[in-house]
Amino acid sequence: MKIAASDYDGTLFRNGTISDETIEGVRLWRAAGNKFGMVSGRDYGMLMPQLKHYGVEYDFTICNNGGIIRDGSDKVISQKKIDGRTLEAMSREPLVRQSCHFAFSSRDVTYLCHEREGSWITREARQWNFPIVKIEESVIGTLKDIHQLALGFDTPEQSNACAEVLNKKFAADVRAHQNGCCLDVTPSGVSKRRGLEELMKALHWTDQKLYVIGDETNDLPMITAFKGYTVDSARAEIKSRAAKVFSDVGAMLKYFL
């Protein structure tokens, strides 16, 4: 049995869709007795409607960069948490306030505030019917069971500058993962790599071969740790760190069948 884990945005989901080759590749991979799952910065509630729409079946999900892990029956294996006082303190940071939204991820719902022009959260929630609850900024400190704060900026440079501040000032509590203009803030120690390691241990898959594929900076920890792969649309920096470049996820799965 082999295990494959794919990033979603920019890797499985590209140019506004999931290719027929990738959908077929996932089907053939799982039909051969192998396991396939997602490892994404997205919320579970944001990811599932799209996987179901495109008919992509899975055996596990690692969402919010490893902040929450589920098995194939959608049972939660692990969930990490950020203290409300830390969330409130971060929300007051000047660079954080440049974000077009504050999206707080819990197990079953996303809390949203500070939304302005440029935010895509409400638009996607309407398109894909995933649950969001709009809140006032005054209650941020009272939020519980939050495992990710998602921010969005106009440029990657803004996102990177904010990540540097948060990773320095709040290093004991959180880690900021940049993904282009997006910035995902998780509990300290959380990453896609560690999420995969925890999943493999929990499901007793540690002796199985793991194939990972991603396309952005937040994918690099797992790409480098597991000698993983990327897609041909990735930036040169990502391609240089990958063991091989594929046209899409389906091509990788078929190559290793």
Side-chain angles (χ1 to χ4, degrees), residues 189-235:
V190 168
S191 70
K192 292 186 176 185
R193 171 190 175 176
R194 293 191 179 183
L196 282 165
E197 290 171 342
E198 190 170 348
L199 172 88
M200 301 283 279
K201 183 177 180 180
L203 299 183
H204 308 291
W205 290 348
T206 52
D207 293 332
Q208 312 304 320
K209 175 64 176 176
L210 175 62
Y211 302 85
V212 303
I213 186 167
D215 77 307
E216 257 297 348
T217 305
N218 63 335
D219 298 313
L220 280 177
M222 70 173 184
I223 290 174
T224 55
F226 303 114
K227 298 180 181 178
Y229 311 98
T230 192
V231 289
D232 56 14
S233 55
R235 292 179 290 113

Side-chain angles (χ1 to χ4, degrees), residues 15-255:
N15 302 315
T17 191
I18 299 177
S19 71
D20 291 339
E21 180 182 18
T22 288
I23 295 170
E24 176 68 1
V26 172
R27 187 190 68 78
L28 292 172
W29 180 264
R30 297 180 74 247
N34 302 313
K35 304 295 184 182
F36 175 81
M38 303 306 308
V39 53
S40 173
R42 281 183 178 247
D43 283 9
Y44 176 81
M46 297 180 182
L47 181 64
M48 286 304 102
Q50 295 197 30
L51 293 182
K52 291 178 181 177
H53 173 78
Y54 290 106
V56 176
E57 297 187 344
Y58 56 90
D59 300 287
F60 60 89
T61 57
I62 299 173
C63 292
N64 304 123
N65 294 290
I68 190 163
I69 304 169
R70 287 176 164 91
D71 64 16
S73 64
D74 299 327
K75 177 183 176 182
V76 174
I77 295 174
S78 172
Q79 180 187 15
K80 309 297 190 295
K81 300 175 185 179
I82 306 174
D83 183 79
R85 291 169 296 183
T86 302
L87 294 171
E88 185 176 32
M90 289 192 296
S91 73
R92 294 195 295 263
E93 286 291 318
L95 289 181
V96 171
R97 300 202 63 78
Q98 293 179 10
S99 171
C100 60
H101 55 241
F102 298 165
F104 302 92
S105 307
S106 67
R107 182 176 295 199
D108 299 310
V109 68
T110 297
Y111 298 99
L112 179 66
C113 64
H114 188 76
E115 190 177 30
R116 64 169 175 79
E117 184 178 357
S119 174
W120 56 89
I121 302 295
T122 296
R123 182 185 71 246
E124 286 208 4
R126 289 172 179 163
Q127 180 182 359
W128 295 102
N129 193 31
F130 64 76
I132 60 170
V133 173
K134 294 191 176 183
I135 60 172
E136 298 294 329
E137 288 191 50
S138 59
V139 306
I140 289 174
T142 68
L143 294 175
K144 300 182 183 300
D145 299 330
I146 301 300
H147 54 263
Q148 179 170 278
L149 164 62
L151 306 172
F153 297 90
D154 296 327
T155 68
E157 291 74 22
Q158 287 178 301
S159 177
N160 183 64
C162 187
E164 289 181 355
V165 168
L166 294 181
N167 285 333
K168 182 177 181 180
K169 191 167 184 178
F170 298 92
D173 301 305
V174 300
R175 178 69 183 175
H177 311 262
Q178 186 192 9
N179 183 3
C181 293
C182 299
L183 189 64
D184 300 326
V185 186
T186 64
S188 182
V190 168
S191 70
K192 292 186 176 185
R193 171 190 175 176
R194 293 191 179 183
L196 282 165
E197 290 171 342
E198 190 170 348
L199 172 88
M200 301 283 279
K201 183 177 180 180
L203 299 183
H204 308 291
W205 290 348
T206 52
D207 293 332
Q208 312 304 320
K209 175 64 176 176
L210 175 62
Y211 302 85
V212 303
I213 186 167
D215 77 307
E216 257 297 348
T217 305
N218 63 335
D219 298 313
L220 280 177
M222 70 173 184
I223 290 174
T224 55
F226 303 114
K227 298 180 181 178
Y229 311 98
T230 192
V231 289
D232 56 14
S233 55
R235 292 179 290 113
E237 174 193 359
I238 310 299
K239 290 179 179 178
S240 69
R241 305 282 290 277
K244 189 174 177 64
V245 178
F246 289 95
S247 59
D248 58 23
V249 175
M252 182 196 78
L253 296 175
K254 292 175 182 178
Y255 183 86

